[in-house]
Amino acid sequence: MSAHSFVFSSKVLRSLELEREAIEAQELRKRCQTYYVSQGRRAEIPRTPRVGRGTQKPFLLCEDRLIHNALYTGDIQRVQQFFSKSTAVNLVIEGSHEELQWSSQRLGIWSLCYKQEFTTPLQITASRGYDRCLRHLLSCGAEVDFAPGGKTALHEACENAQTECVRLLLSYGANPNAFSEDGYTPLHLCSSPESLPCAAHLLKFGGHVNSRTEDKDDTALHIAARFGLEEHVTRYLEYGASVNRMNDCGQTPLHCVCAQTHGKEDVERYYRVCKLLIEQGASVNALDEEKQSALHLACRTANNKIVNLLLHQGIDVNRMDYGGNAPMHKALQAVAYRLELEPEHTVRSLLNYGSIRIWPGAIPKVLKFCSQSPRTIEVLINVYDRLKVTDDWMESVPLKLFQEHQEFYDSLFALSQKPRSLQHLARCTIRNQLDGQCQKLVPELPLPTVLQEYLLLQFRGYVS
């Protein structure tokens, strides 16, 4: 198809032409500068690398598949055969990245192809944990911080939790505070439980615990908190990590741990990280750029243990964010998506600590979005001494869910024909007198446990 008949506008076409010319020029330079390694025959041609930081320098491109195979499989005998102190060990290997990009072919046809990236023998062996090969390359004089693709070998080793390779690289002088092209230090890439020994080595060799990433201004503590890495958090705090430092979104590490979505199996782990941060002085009242507290974020992820911890610390249960949402709104918005974490417990805790109630006129909307969780509906209804049940209520519950939880919804809709029970009215009266301090004061009342639980909105599976 000719340019004159192309469906894009002239502005778009011009943009495509400029991009095509740039890529073709780059491909031409690449063909002119290609360095081949074949059958032991080597020629040195300079090339300018894509280096994220530091001084750019020429490098040698290796396209010998035998060498590639030896490095990627960790074949120490062949690595020793191909690399010695008399050969170039700072070769560069060009490979394909999983990311796709538009590229122009010789005939002027544009197509999606895999993005090319550069790596080195040192990076390949370090990222895969081939410590014997790595030791040999280092002993042959490999440049330890060489980063033609924007990452050093130390970045790669930390990202893949290769402890022995991290130790080796640091002992040979690798910079523990080098920034990658994306603005990360090796410590920022220690984001898995297995990477704890790597982080320990980095700190021991002078890694800066409060260095910030370029994209989000995160410290290592932000990242460890976000991934629920309790031991990392402990280690960073021991090395002076700032517990209340904010990133570019105004979030502290406490915000990060509360905001991170996680499964039921990780509830305890994230709770322990949150508790540790608070014990070390994290401010529960800090607000991010959206004026959200840690409680807003914890309600959205429905971790009731964290919610109770924050409420026990005296956090404001009714603070509004920029969008006009209180923590209760965040909790209700998350109900349908966090059923496995039993979000009704979060709603109950908020009400027992004095949360505002929802406007009665909004109950049909709540029924529509929270009908999969009858317990959530139950606890919300039980803070009112009277409500007018309308046809909108019944129409808001999908038939399938009504049938699945028919006993509960029958008891709910029956309120249109009868008043609430005397027992419930007494409960409302006592709760109103306690004025938002139910969780604190009810356990001190001289009442049987069953009555205390009733006052605290214990679930019963029906309303009366």
Side-chain angles (χ1 to χ4, degrees):
M1 182 179 291
S2 68
H4 298 290
S5 62
F6 206 60
V7 294
F8 289 167
S9 67
S10 58
K11 182 177 180 181
V12 173
L13 283 172
R14 181 55 181 159
S15 176
L16 290 174
E17 288 177 6
L18 291 173
E19 188 174 353
R20 181 192 63 193
E21 291 171 2
I23 291 179
E24 288 179 344
Q26 182 181 8
E27 290 176 349
L28 179 61
R29 287 195 300 271
K30 175 179 169 183
R31 289 195 296 271
C32 292
Q33 296 176 344
T34 301
Y35 167 74
Y36 293 94
V37 177
S38 177
Q39 304 297 325
R41 189 162 160 260
R42 296 177 173 81
E44 298 186 6
I45 301 177
R47 176 173 178 158
T48 303
R50 294 185 308 167
V51 180
R53 292 171 180 267
T55 305
Q56 293 187 340
K57 61 177 69 177
F59 58 66
L60 307 178
L61 185 66
C62 170
E63 294 188 350
D64 191 321
R65 296 301 175 184
L66 291 177
I67 293 180
H68 294 186
N69 187 62
L71 292 168
Y72 281 107
T73 60
D75 188 335
I76 182 61
Q77 293 182 346
R78 286 195 173 273
V79 169
Q80 290 173 338
Q81 175 187 345
F82 291 136
F83 297 97
S84 67
K85 291 185 178 180
S86 61
T87 61
V89 293
N90 293 312
L91 301 174
V92 172
I93 295 171
E94 190 173 22
S96 294
H97 193 271
E98 292 182 357
E99 182 180 347
L100 290 169
Q101 68 175 7
W102 286 100
S103 179
S104 173
Q105 306 302 318
R106 291 183 180 178
L107 299 178
I109 300 174
W110 286 74
S111 64
L112 276 173
C113 62
Y114 286 101
K115 181 180 179 181
Q116 298 300 108
E117 65 175 8
F118 299 111
T119 186
T120 66
L122 213 60
Q123 289 173 264
I124 293 170
T125 54
S127 66
R128 286 161 173 75
Y130 301 146
D131 54 281
R132 293 179 63 195
C133 296
L134 181 66
R135 187 189 299 274
H136 175 74
L137 293 170
L138 289 168
S139 67
C140 289
E143 189 175 333
V144 72
D145 286 328
F146 187 33
K151 284 184 182 178
T152 67
L154 188 58
H155 284 99
E156 298 280 2
C158 290
E159 188 171 16
N160 292 280
Q162 303 294 351
T163 304
E164 180 58 22
C165 292
V166 169
R167 188 194 66 79
L168 269 173
L169 290 165
L170 289 168
S171 66
Y172 272 82
N175 182 2
N177 297 305
F179 279 86
S180 68
E181 187 175 31
D182 295 328
Y184 290 80
T185 68
L187 199 60
H188 293 136
L189 300 179
C190 294
S191 57
S192 67
E194 297 77 20
S195 67
L196 178 64
C198 300
H201 284 307
L202 290 169
L203 294 170
K204 182 180 178 182
F205 277 81
H208 297 159
V209 75
N210 285 317
S211 289
R212 297 172 177 241
T213 63
E214 285 190 354
D215 58 345
K216 295 181 180 179
D217 253 5
D218 282 334
T219 64
L221 190 60
H222 284 92
I223 295 171
R226 187 173 294 126
F227 286 97
L229 304 177
E230 182 182 6
E231 292 180 305
H232 287 67
V233 169
T234 301
R235 185 63 61 92
Y236 296 158
L237 290 171
E238 290 174 352
Y239 274 81
S242 177
V243 73
N244 285 313
R245 180 163 291 181
M246 294 183 175
N247 61 16
D248 66 348
C249 295
Q251 292 187 341
T252 67
L254 183 61
H255 283 102
C256 291
V257 67
C258 292
Q260 185 66 25
T261 301
H262 53 270
K264 193 171 185 178
E265 68 280 2
D266 294 322
V267 165
E268 287 291 336
R269 183 160 61 90
Y270 277 86
Y271 165 75
R272 289 195 300 269
V273 172
C274 186
K275 187 171 183 289
L276 176 60
L277 291 171
I278 291 174
E279 289 173 347
Q280 295 299 314
S283 172
V284 297
N285 294 311
L287 303 176
D288 65 13
E289 66 178 9
E290 298 294 330
K291 297 302 178 185
Q292 296 179 113
S293 68
L295 184 60
H296 284 93
L297 303 174
C299 287
R300 192 173 63 188
T301 58
N303 187 327
N304 188 54
K305 293 203 67 172
I306 292 180
V307 168
N308 277 322
L309 176 63
L310 295 170
L311 290 169
H312 184 71
Q313 296 295 318
I315 197 168
D316 188 348
V317 71
N318 289 317
R319 178 178 286 277
M320 298 286 184
D321 64 12
Y322 266 151
N325 292 313
M328 176 62 77
H329 297 115
K330 296 290 187 180
L332 293 177
Q333 290 164 10
V335 167
Y337 309 100
R338 311 298 295 157
L339 290 175
E340 65 167 348
L341 294 181
E342 301 176 334
E344 64 270 17
H345 290 285
T346 294
V347 175
R348 179 190 175 203
S349 295
L350 292 171
L351 291 169
N352 285 333
Y353 274 93
S355 171
I356 56 173
R357 301 180 298 182
I358 61 172
W359 176 52
I363 289 179
K365 184 176 181 180
V366 173
L367 282 168
K368 179 180 180 180
F369 291 103
C370 301
S371 53
Q372 297 177 74
S373 176
R375 283 186 163 191
T376 299
I377 306 300
E378 176 188 346
V379 75
L380 288 170
I381 296 299
N382 279 338
V383 294
Y384 299 93
D385 56 1
R386 63 180 64 84
L387 281 169
K388 183 179 180 180
V389 181
T390 66
D391 292 341
D392 291 343
W393 288 32
M394 303 177 191
E395 294 171 359
S396 297
V397 180
L399 179 60
K400 180 180 178 182
L401 293 173
F402 174 83
Q403 294 172 341
E404 185 178 344
H405 307 287
Q406 186 167 353
E407 181 180 357
F408 169 76
Y409 285 114
D410 280 343
S411 71
L412 174 63
F413 299 144
L415 296 180
S416 62
Q417 306 295 327
K418 63 179 182 180
R420 302 300 300 266
S421 68
L422 182 60
Q423 186 182 41
H424 170 71
L425 294 176
R427 170 169 61 183
C428 288
T429 300
I430 295 173
R431 287 180 61 88
N432 288 337
Q433 288 295 318
L434 297 179
D435 192 27
Q437 299 189 66
C438 294
Q439 191 66 52
K440 176 182 178 182
L441 298 178
V442 166
E444 298 179 6
L445 297 177
L447 295 173
T449 301
V450 65
L451 289 180
Q452 291 183 358
E453 292 178 347
Y454 182 75
L455 287 172
L456 293 174
L457 307 174
Q458 184 65 29
F459 306 108
R460 305 174 76 186
Y462 62 92
V463 292
S464 61

